[in-house]
Amino acid sequence: MAEVTYLEALRQGLWEEMERDEEVFLLGEDVGRYGGAFKVTEGFQDRFGERRVIDTPISEAAIVGAAAGAAHMGMRPVVEMQFMDFIACAYDMLTNYVATARYRAGLSTPIVVRGPSGGYVRGGPFHSQNPEAGFFHTPGLKLVCPATVRDAKGLIKAAIRDDDPVIYFEHKYLYRRLKDDLGEDEEIITPIGKARIAREGTDLTIITWSAMVWKSLDAAQTIEKEDGASVEVLDLRTLLPMDDDAIMASVRKTNKVLIVHEDSRTGGVAGEITARINETAFEWLDGPIMRVTAHDTPVPYAPTLEDCVLPQTEDIVRSARWLLAY
Amino acid sequence: MAEVTYLEALRQGLWEEMERDEEVFLLGEDVGRYGGAFKVTEGFQDRFGERRVIDTPISEAAIVGAAAGAAHMGMRPVVEMQFMDFIACAYDMLTNYVATARYRAGLSTPIVVRGPSGGYVRGGPFHSQNPEAGFFHTPGLKLVCPATVRDAKGLIKAAIRDDDPVIYFEHKYLYRRLKDDLGEDEEIITPIGKARIAREGTDLTIITWSAMVWKSLDAAQTIEKEDGASVEVLDLRTLLPMDDDAIMASVRKTNKVLIVHEDSRTGGVAGEITARINETAFEWLDGPIMRVTAHDTPVPYAPTLEDCVLPQTEDIVRSARWLLAY
Amino acid sequence: MQRGAGVMTPTTRLSREQLLDMSYYLALTRSLEERLVNLYRQGKVIGGLYRSLGQEGESVASAYALEPGDVLSPLIRNLGSMLVMGAKPVEILRQYMAKETSPTGGREMNLHFNDLGLGYLGQISPLGDMISVMAGICLSFKVRDESRVGLVYIGDGGTSTGAFHEGVNFAAVQRLPLVVIVEHNGYAYSTPTSDQTATPRLVTKAKAYGIPGITIDGNDVLVVYEATRDAVEKARAGAGTFMIEVVTYRRKGHAEHDDQRYQPKEEIAEWAEHNDPIDRYTATLLEQEWVTRAELDDIARRVSTELNQAVEECENDPLPDGATALSRAYARPPQVEPLWFRRLDG
Amino acid sequence: MQRGAGVMTPTTRLSREQLLDMSYYLALTRSLEERLVNLYRQGKVIGGLYRSLGQEGESVASAYALEPGDVLSPLIRNLGSMLVMGAKPVEILRQYMAKETSPTGGREMNLHFNDLGLGYLGQISPLGDMISVMAGICLSFKVRDESRVGLVYIGDGGTSTGAFHEGVNFAAVQRLPLVVIVEHNGYAYSTPTSDQTATPRLVTKAKAYGIPGITIDGNDVLVVYEATRDAVEKARAGAGTFMIEVVTYRRKGHAEHDDQRYQPKEEIAEWAEHNDPIDRYTATLLEQEWVTRAELDDIARRVSTELNQAVEECENDPLPDGATALSRAYARPPQVEPLWFRRLDG
Ligand SMILES: Cc1ncc(C[n+]2csc(CCOP(=O)(O)OP(=O)(O)O)c2C)c(N)n1
Ligand SMILES: Cc1ncc(C[n+]2csc(CCOP(=O)(O)OP(=O)(O)O)c2C)c(N)n1
Ligand SMILES: [Mg+2]
Ligand SMILES: [Mg+2]
């Protein structure tokens, strides 16, 4: 049993689904002969051929549109965005065409749009974005954000099998830094829409997803060690649909909530979570729901600047302490 | 002193700014010889000429990009989106280029992107949208949503003079239905970033903007008449920047909050407002912050369906009563 | 559509029955729009009404060049194409009136509906988006080695969109069996084509994508049929993507509410009097003695009867039940829960 | 840039001084990139490094055809253009190393910075976006009756974007004084141009927009200069938008980390040995006896000294103070408040 990286787990998931279902195919910029900018699809074109691993022109909108058309005909396209920052170029296609297709026209559009998102890699304003909030607001889409090696595999497989369009935000910081042993026997599929308790706790709930799960776990550990308090970390895994039940169960247990996301504050997903908790479990709250997020600026390039803009483990520790003392 | 419509007030604002500052110019689809799909710019080309009122190709991204370039050179472009639904086609340009220009490059980009948004006109999925939440999450943009005839004029003038890029969401339902007498003497300029108390009250605050201000006022009146309760209605006017002070002052006064927006629920702007109140005025709350919004679907076409999806005055009345009784 | 029926007439690849069939669709298109105008004036149409007067020829003839299994995506003025593919007048009427019984159950308007079985995929409003979607449909044909072809329409105005460019380029480079019909009708809403693009011939855009293109008289029904048929056959044979610029004219305003003040009256009159596609087609059929006046009169009567029936059949259909608005945003869950305030007691 | 200096050499519109000046910029570009490679290997460059090896000629020569007041927007491989416009090597170095002293104060990377006074506007990453922005800049020239011209670069890959299409079309239809240089260097990251577009000659795209276009040898410095100069002069005279396809070759990978396995080794070698723009230019200058070997050696020494100084000047500059990250998201308010958790006591 060898350890595999987050990236390798993702690869495995894609590979297995392509072996299983010949309707699954890949398209995107440099996904074929190059194997993708991050080499997620390296070797796929050799195995599955040029018809199932398609190098496309630089046209995010057309790639998504073409995926949608193929999906209407029963295929299962998986689109790579070279960086998730460029999904902005397909915004109209995703929000106006893809997301509405079933509702307005009864069309099935089972596509997956996946790619690297996130910062902490000194990528600057256009290679560090977390664009989930821009799509979170569009009914018809599902948004998936795997945090673990296991979920990188299990969720991509579930996304491909899902009958609704899924945007799949991988975190590039985790690609090669995160490793785990996935065993070999069972098939790993992680249901979309179910959160995961990454760490059990009783005094405070941290609600988070993607790379922030790891910073939150680090913070929880520090607090346990230094303060003796017990922090629960809830990894949402999917933002749309959101696992309200898991959120509320944790809130009812700990009565205090900190939401941590990497994206900037205003209009980030934390707002919605706050609203939902407030609507459903207001009486269970022993303190305000607080947020640790990036600041409201683009993500700057210099390490010192990026560190200032993005949330850090120490920020989570301090905020959690503040809430625990509330 | 004649009454003017919301649309006419907007026209006046644009006209006055073009008279005042020759750097102000208009560009968009059919804004010139036709005067715009809703005739907001009718007669402008006759007065200001083809160089200052430019009919463009159908290319939302290029229109915004060209406006940005001209703005860098000191001009003050005002872009019309024929319907705000099509602003999705300029999403990359607005969020990646325009919004970041000052931050990353020190460039000044004083553009206004304006156009009709909103439903209740049986416009179907692509002529009814309220796309503010898609941009609310982008630092660098300002978002303005005038509700009144006076603000339609005062805010467009302020938006044009603002040194930051402004997206200006007009509400097409109000265009010709809303009338007011603006007097004639004073110049009307409404500062960006300041909310307005549309109605004073003591028992509950409704926070809202754009067309929902009017439904909220109707609801408040019904409640006053039928229940004897006093409802405050806060018209945010601008979403970015948000007038936290006005929000918190009202919350501290009434201790109960209902947020009403026309856009769908999940990921809508109400989430952010909930989070901010919760962070700043949690102890002042005597009940959960609740939301009245559209349902999480596209806006359907048939009147019966649209009525079901969008929030109605009666929904506000019921929700307010529920909160008052909490 | 009466495909392959009967014996070919000289100089065309169409039989007499097929020629009459096209006459039927032309008459049906024009008359259905006239019915819609009446309903619009009576306030029964919800929202706008978009006419194809003077452009029916290119719609009907291009669609008629397809075979069963082929798929097209119409624009708002391609009513004729939809009808040829098998959309029923009563469906169109129901769509325009947002009836419960409409193909979209009142969720969407006018021609925005689809039946992939019959071979049409309704557009969405943002112009240009359907091109890459149709490219994707053609990609499925190619990957599956199916001998099917796609056809997509775009207006002169629509060619300015980035979506058009990305979509046609994608199809071209992938050599997908897609025929792109560029409808050069002089205007995009109020904007003349000369303000839309600096090229006087839209077909020059084909060169940018390395694909063949031709410009044809869009108001000559037989020319449109032959040209589309040629392109469709080549695409079916694996030759990739084609562009056809059809030159026509939009005789009505952008929509019924538009007073067309920007279109010179003489220009409209000129096209109406001397270049109506139905008049020209009818004249040819009669001149060539391929059909008789009586047969055409029969068609007119049939169309009239069918439309009377269609209007009658649906005029009193109810609007959809409001609550159905909450279904089908997703496959799973198939239903959006009514929000909390809708579950409160009155 | 030594504009208009000295006497023209025969067959060119350039003086000897100007020819030497271009030699200087060519050498400076190539050497600066070599310095950057060293710094990259030492781990001092933050993020990726993008080379223009083998393409320096078209960058330098096209920028050199502009006049003071003109504005260009470079891509990541147009280091030569930036230098010609007046960007300083030390600025480039600082950008790549994210120094406090860099033109963007460490907010942005590599060539992504601008000085509209000097006449360059740095790109953003989403390809194609700069074309309509440059169209807007040229719109300001036109509206203000200024006799200024814009120049924008786009890669073979970038021509596939909707942004390219909308931008060029907008400029063309408005007859804006914009020169669009399409850099046909064979690859977009790993994707050969044949997977990007079905047209073998990118200049055919000019036809789509109704504008003139030519294809030239992008590695012939004098040809690029002359062609750009022609286009710029016509644009300045009010003739609208021009497209120039420069045929060149990307001899390095997309970025320094890319092993180029998809580029045939012989192809790279062929271009390196027989078609290097600097070698060719130098050979011509010497053959024609417009310059001497000694003068070129002087330039090499000068470049080396300047770059030594530049590296020394900035290598030890500090990174920016973190807190400056919160300024300048808006003109008003000019500062984002630190979030609540940053105001808590440690
Ligand atoms: C992306 C986008 N922008 C704007 C519109 C609004 N709009 C609807 S139809 C139209 C004009 C279309 O003209 P053309 O493509 O020539 O088609 P025609 O109406 O002439 O058939 C415009 C601007 C739209 N539907 N989509
Ligand atoms: C819209 C968009 N999609 C994807 C990318 C990622 N990307 C950066 S450079 C590049 C290749 C560009 O190729 P080309 O335009 O030919 O320029 P070259 O690198 O050859 O100079 C890609 C795909 C991007 N920057 N923008
Ligand atoms: Mg047209
Ligand atoms: Mg290239």
Side-chain angles (χ1 to χ4, degrees), chain D residues 139-155:
Chain D
L139 185 66
S140 82
F141 299 161
K142 183 178 128 178
V143 169
R144 290 169 172 169
D145 285 319
E146 293 173 343
S147 161
R148 301 165 71 180
V149 170
L151 188 157
V152 67
Y153 299 89
I154 187 80

Side-chain angles (χ1 to χ4, degrees), chain D residues 25-58:
Chain D
Y25 284 113
L26 291 166
L28 186 64
T29 305
R30 185 160 292 181
S31 304
L32 176 51
E33 286 189 4
E34 283 158 6
R35 301 296 173 114
L36 283 164
V37 173
N38 287 340
L39 293 165
Y40 179 83
R41 297 215 175 114
Q42 296 167 41
K44 290 184 180 164
V45 163
I46 295 169
L49 171 62
Y50 304 84
R51 299 287 305 274
S52 68
L53 184 71
Q55 296 183 228
E56 301 94 336
E58 44 107 346

Side-chain angles (χ1 to χ4, degrees), chain B residues 29 58 60 82 86, chain C residues 77 125-127 155-158 185 187-188 254:
Chain B
E29 297 153 19
I58 305 175
E60 284 74 10
Q82 199 156 86
F86 304 128
Chain C
R77 291 186 218 293
S125 297
L127 294 166
D156 40 327
N185 68 357
Y187 295 88
H254 173 61

Side-chain angles (χ1 to χ4, degrees), chain C residues 1 10 13 46 66 68 123 146 158 160 196 200 231 234 252 263:
Chain C
M1 204 190 312
R13 283 182 279 185
I46 293 168
L66 296 179
Q123 68 160 142
E146 293 173 344
S160 301
Q196 205 63 243
K234 284 184 192 142
K252 289 301 212 172
Q263 281 174 287

Side-chain angles (χ1 to χ4, degrees), chain A residues 92, chain B residues 29-30 57-60 81-83 86-87 89 126-127, chain C residues 50-51 55 58 75-78 123-129 154-161 163 183-191 193 196 250 253-254, chain D residues 166:
Chain A
D92 166 59
Chain B
E29 297 153 19
D30 308 294
I58 305 175
S59 349
E60 284 74 10
M81 293 282 139
Q82 199 156 86
F83 286 84
F86 304 128
I87 200 172
C89 302
F126 305 107
H127 295 79
Chain C
Y50 303 83
R51 299 288 304 275
Q55 298 183 227
E58 44 106 347
L75 293 170
I76 206 146
R77 291 186 218 293
N78 296 117
Q123 68 160 142
I124 62 167
S125 297
L127 294 166
D129 286 9
I154 187 79
D156 40 327
T159 65
S160 301
T161 62
E183 302 181 311
H184 192 158
N185 68 357
Y187 295 88
Y189 212 139
S190 73
T191 305
T193 312
Q196 205 63 243
R250 198 195 73 198
H254 173 61
Chain D
E166 293 197 1

Side-chain angles (χ1 to χ4, degrees), chain A residues 96-164:
Chain A
N96 277 329
Y97 188 82
V98 171
T100 65
R102 182 179 303 277
Y103 187 78
R104 62 177 162 72
L107 291 161
S108 185
T109 319
I111 69 172
V112 178
V113 178
R114 50 155 291 274
S117 57
Y120 302 97
V121 297
R122 316 334 191 171
F126 305 108
H127 295 80
S128 307
Q129 295 174 15
N130 294 283
E132 65 261 22
F135 297 92
F136 184 55
H137 149 261
T138 306
L141 299 177
K142 292 185 174 177
L143 306 187
V144 176
C145 307
T148 67
V149 174
R150 192 176 183 82
D151 284 350
K153 179 166 184 178
L155 284 168
I156 192 73
K157 287 170 66 93
I160 290 171
R161 297 184 194 190
D162 203 280
D163 287 333
D164 290 310

Side-chain angles (χ1 to χ4, degrees), chain D residues 269-285:
Chain D
E270 172 73 22
W271 284 83
E273 279 156 40
H274 304 295
N275 206 343
D276 180 79
I278 303 188
D279 289 353
R280 288 176 60 193
Y281 182 59
T282 306
T284 306
L285 295 191

